[in-house]
């Protein structure tokens, strides 16, 4: 799933990538049709895509960008959402998007789309997303915990139902795409609430802007360097002692 927020604390539209093509019948059902975007306070069909891996690719990231900004359909006519633009950026009135350095964010097609539409991509410092990417620090951290609980609860209910219906005979149970979306919706809206989004921007030092995260990382780096020097010194002393004792 892709997720993000504005510096104001309002969430962007969620976007999910399925590992298989969703069936049309349940795409228009409750799990996908009634998601709330706090930027508009309206319910909408969940913007989504699919590929064999169910992971992020340059193609799915481009669809996510278009779903956030203004396109309701991709160039092939596939519906991305029906909400209209969250805001209309332009070359003369650009928007800044902070993101990590995943390779899917930097294809030629993605960069050209951003250049043409006034979207400035700002890359976070490599290997620091655990402290300066608000979605990882707050939103997705909370979401993963809640989804884990929700899925296990649903699986437990199904397993117990199977045992009762089959009079004690066990049988495998699993969750399909539509089941997972039912386990995610409320958890997503909670994890990406305005309070959590505002906290994510604050603790990572972007809004209000501070250099606290930088100094925390530097302190850790300095501590590791000091420990390395102490280890080298101790090793050197042990070698000297061994040499003297041997003589």
């Amino acid at each position: 799933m892709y997720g993000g927020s504005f510096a104001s604390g309002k969430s962007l539209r969620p976007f999910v990538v399925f590992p298989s093509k969703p069936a049309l019948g349940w795409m228009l059902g409750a799990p996908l049709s009634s998601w709330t975007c706090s930027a508009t306070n309206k319910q909408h069909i969940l913007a989504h895509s699919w590929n064999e891996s169910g992971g992020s690719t340059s193609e799915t990231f481009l669809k996510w960008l278009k779903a956030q900004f203004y396109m309701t359909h991709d160039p092939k006519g596939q519906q991305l959402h029906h909400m209209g633009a969250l805001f209309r950026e332009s070359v003369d009135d650009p928007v800044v998007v902070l993101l990590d350095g995943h390779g899917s964010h930097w294809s030629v097609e993605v960069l050209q789309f951003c250049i043409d539409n006034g979207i400035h991509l700002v890359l976070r410092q490599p290997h620091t997303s655990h402290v300066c990417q608000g979605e990882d620090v707050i939103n997705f951290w909370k979401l993963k915990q809640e989804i884990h609980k929700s899925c296990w609860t649903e699986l437990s209910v199904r397993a117990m139902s199977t045992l009762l219906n089959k009079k004690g005979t066990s049988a495998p149970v699993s969750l399909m795409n539509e089941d997972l979306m039912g386990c995610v919706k409320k958890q997503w809206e909670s994890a990406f609430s305005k309070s959590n989004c505002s906290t994510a921007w604050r603790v990572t030092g972007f809004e209000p802007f501070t250099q606290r995260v930088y100094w925390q990382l530097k302190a850790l780096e300095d501590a590791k360097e000091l420990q390395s020097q102490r280890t080298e010194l101790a090793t050197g002393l042990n070698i000297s002692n061994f040499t003297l004792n041997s003589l």
Side-chain angles (χ1 to χ4, degrees):
M1 296 186 75
Y2 290 84
S5 63
F6 297 96
S8 64
K10 293 182 177 181
S11 63
L12 294 169
R13 293 187 179 105
F15 187 96
V16 64
V17 182
F18 295 107
S20 59
K21 187 174 183 178
L24 180 62
W26 71 268
M27 282 170 57
L28 302 179
L32 289 185
S33 64
S34 57
W35 289 63
T36 301
C37 174
S38 65
T40 59
N41 289 321
K42 296 179 180 178
Q43 291 188 335
H44 61 92
I45 294 175
L46 178 65
H48 60 277
S49 183
W50 71 279
N51 55 45
E52 291 184 358
S53 68
S56 178
T57 65
S58 57
E59 181 181 9
T60 58
F61 178 67
L62 183 56
K63 288 182 178 180
W64 176 83
L65 278 174
K66 293 174 179 178
Q68 302 309 317
F69 297 106
Y70 72 92
M71 296 189 71
T72 58
H73 294 76
D74 68 15
K76 296 180 180 179
Q78 180 181 356
Q79 183 171 343
L80 296 171
H81 61 88
H82 68 285
M83 292 287 293
L86 292 179
F87 50 86
R88 291 189 178 276
E89 72 294 338
S90 68
V91 175
D92 296 325
D93 186 19
V95 63
V96 175
V97 178
L98 301 176
L99 69 165
D100 61 39
H102 192 277
S104 64
H105 300 158
W106 301 100
S107 70
V108 172
E109 292 78 11
V110 166
L111 295 178
Q112 190 61 57
F113 174 79
C114 292
I115 291 170
D116 293 342
N117 293 280
I119 302 171
H120 293 198
L121 301 181
V122 177
L123 186 65
R124 291 183 172 98
Q125 190 73 13
H127 310 298
T128 62
S129 61
H130 62 293
V131 290
C132 67
Q133 182 158 291
E135 294 81 13
D136 288 351
V137 176
I138 299 295
N139 306 105
F140 280 115
W141 180 75
K142 290 179 176 291
L143 180 65
K144 289 175 182 177
Q145 295 183 75
E146 294 304 316
I147 288 179
H148 183 77
K149 294 178 184 177
S150 179
C151 287
W152 271 110
T153 299
E154 181 65 21
L155 283 170
S156 299
V157 169
R158 293 189 178 207
M160 184 59 67
S161 176
T162 300
L163 286 172
L164 293 175
N165 292 335
K166 296 196 174 187
K167 299 180 179 181
T169 303
S170 62
V173 294
S174 61
L175 299 178
M176 306 302 288
N177 283 340
E178 56 267 40
D179 303 317
L180 290 172
M181 289 298 95
C183 293
V184 169
K185 181 178 177 295
K186 290 182 179 180
Q187 289 72 15
W188 175 277
E189 292 174 353
S190 173
F192 280 84
S193 66
K194 185 172 183 178
S195 173
N196 284 334
C197 290
S198 296
T199 300
W201 281 86
R202 177 175 52 80
V203 300
T204 52
F206 286 104
E207 177 59 39
F209 182 76
T210 69
Q211 291 184 310
R212 179 176 57 82
V213 173
Y214 166 79
W215 289 113
Q216 287 179 338
L217 289 172
K218 189 174 187 310
L220 289 173
E221 189 177 84
D222 291 345
K224 288 181 180 179
E225 178 63 24
L226 180 60
Q227 182 60 42
S228 177
Q229 292 175 359
R230 288 175 175 173
T231 300
E232 290 179 4
L233 179 60
T235 302
L237 289 174
N238 289 336
I239 291 174
S240 299
N241 290 335
F242 175 78
T243 303
L244 289 172
N245 291 336
S246 299
L247 293 175

